[in-house]
Amino acid sequence: MIQRFVSQVSYSFLKPVSLVIILLCLDSCGSEPAENDCCKSIDLPPGIEIKTGQGAVQVDGTTSAYYYVLDLQGKQLSYQSLNKPLALDPGKFKLKVNNTTYPLEVIGGKLSKCATGTVVVSGTTGEYYYVLDSMDHQLSYETLGTPTSLFASSYKVRVNNSEVSVPVRLSQVTEVSSGTLIVHGITGEYYYVLDVSGRQLNYNSSEKPLAFLPNSYSVKVNGTVVNAEIKEGAMTELTTGTVWVHGLTEEYYYALDTAGSQLNYQGLNKQLAFFPGHLRIKVNNTESAVTVIAGAVSELATGSVVVTGAG
């Protein structure tokens, strides 16, 4: 069964504690293997080879990941691919799949058949998503579009530092969709993406996309800022304009906003990208107003003063 998970990004300091508790109660496998659906002890099916007195375990899942068997002190004893059985002596152990754990009891002549759930974050950029527990410990990561097997519980998934909580349920696939942001421009400069609190999440050069979980973000290019709404499965495109100040010297020009705050500076005859709006350009304390238009180049020319004389 595939479960579509649609939610806006929530940041950890805004997330109610009661929500986490409810999700854990609904989705975790529990703590007693004999009393829940995560692991069940069944008669050993024919075809599984074991030694006399042994039992076996099999952890099922939708991916090609491995499961690991640890002793109660955490020492690794053996491992096997998901959906394949593993013979073990009777006893109590721990199972681990992608750093999520679950208690295991093996009974002689029985198969402990266990199940995982799956989470997958879709996207178009080829970047990674990360899976974290409720304490923000990283458990696993995968490229966008590649599923991850986990024991059932509540987790966080993170894409370029945007984050959302997701429930992973037994034998179900939980799908989360990211959206894509791209900033167009001709200068090859960087754009920066910030959350609603002003925290920088990531950056990239113009014409190169970044994936984020759905929410509202701020995007900054050379001190100019616009808002961007990222929606699941969609491409959000922003376009900068270019300022180009010409001159015969190797001096600098300075770009200021309408309030006089400096945004950036560059050498004459070199370009700067900005989001559309009105700017002030200063060269040697002389100023000129310029309007930045998306997808266009706004050009200004300076003059030069040459002083000559006989010594």
Side-chain angles (χ1 to χ4, degrees), residues 11 159-162 181-183 190-196 198-204 208-212 215-221 226 228 230 238:
Y11 299 99
V159 179
N160 281 324
N161 291 306
S162 62
L181 172 68
I182 189 168
V183 177
Y190 291 97
Y191 66 93
Y192 299 82
V193 182
L194 301 86
D195 64 16
V196 292
R199 179 174 64 101
Q200 182 179 310
L201 302 177
N202 210 342
Y203 65 95
N204 212 344
K208 293 183 179 180
L210 285 172
F212 293 96
N215 207 350
S216 297
Y217 300 92
S218 296
V219 184
K220 182 184 290 187
V221 175
V226 297
I230 305 298
L238 303 174

Side-chain angles (χ1 to χ4, degrees), residues 244-251 253 267-270 283 300-304:
W244 195 3
V245 181
H246 301 282
L248 298 177
T249 69
E250 296 181 354
E251 296 171 284
Y253 68 93
L268 293 177
N269 303 306
K270 295 180 181 179
V283 179
L300 296 174
T302 63
S304 299

Side-chain angles (χ1 to χ4, degrees), residues 75-113:
K75 179 183 177 181
Q76 182 179 315
L77 303 176
S78 191
Y79 67 96
Q80 180 60 283
S81 299
L82 293 180
N83 306 306
K84 293 183 179 180
L86 179 66
L88 291 170
D89 292 330
K92 294 185 177 182
F93 307 93
K94 293 180 182 179
L95 287 173
K96 182 165 70 172
V97 177
N98 283 320
N99 291 308
T100 62
T101 59
Y102 185 71
L104 167 69
E105 183 174 355
V106 175
I107 300 172
K110 297 285 187 176
L111 174 67
S112 295
K113 195 169 176 62

Side-chain angles (χ1 to χ4, degrees), residues 164-182:
V164 68
S165 294
V166 294
V168 174
R169 295 187 171 92
L170 293 174
S171 305
Q172 294 186 24
V173 178
T174 299
E175 290 188 341
V176 180
S177 294
S178 66
T180 305
L181 172 68
I182 189 168

Side-chain angles (χ1 to χ4, degrees), residues 85-158:
L86 179 66
L88 291 170
D89 292 330
K92 294 185 177 182
F93 307 93
K94 293 180 182 179
L95 287 173
K96 182 165 70 172
V97 177
N98 283 320
N99 291 308
T100 62
T101 59
Y102 185 71
L104 167 69
E105 183 174 355
V106 175
I107 300 172
K110 297 285 187 176
L111 174 67
S112 295
K113 195 169 176 62
C114 305
T116 60
T118 305
V119 65
V120 60
V121 182
S122 60
T124 62
T125 65
E127 296 173 279
Y128 292 94
Y129 70 92
Y130 299 82
V131 180
L132 303 91
D133 64 18
S134 59
M135 301 299 292
D136 281 343
H137 298 135
Q138 182 180 312
L139 303 173
S140 186
Y141 67 94
E142 270 293 356
T143 52
L144 293 175
T146 303
T148 300
S149 292
L150 305 161
F151 284 118
S153 189
S154 178
Y155 301 98
K156 300 176 185 178
V157 294
R158 184 177 289 170

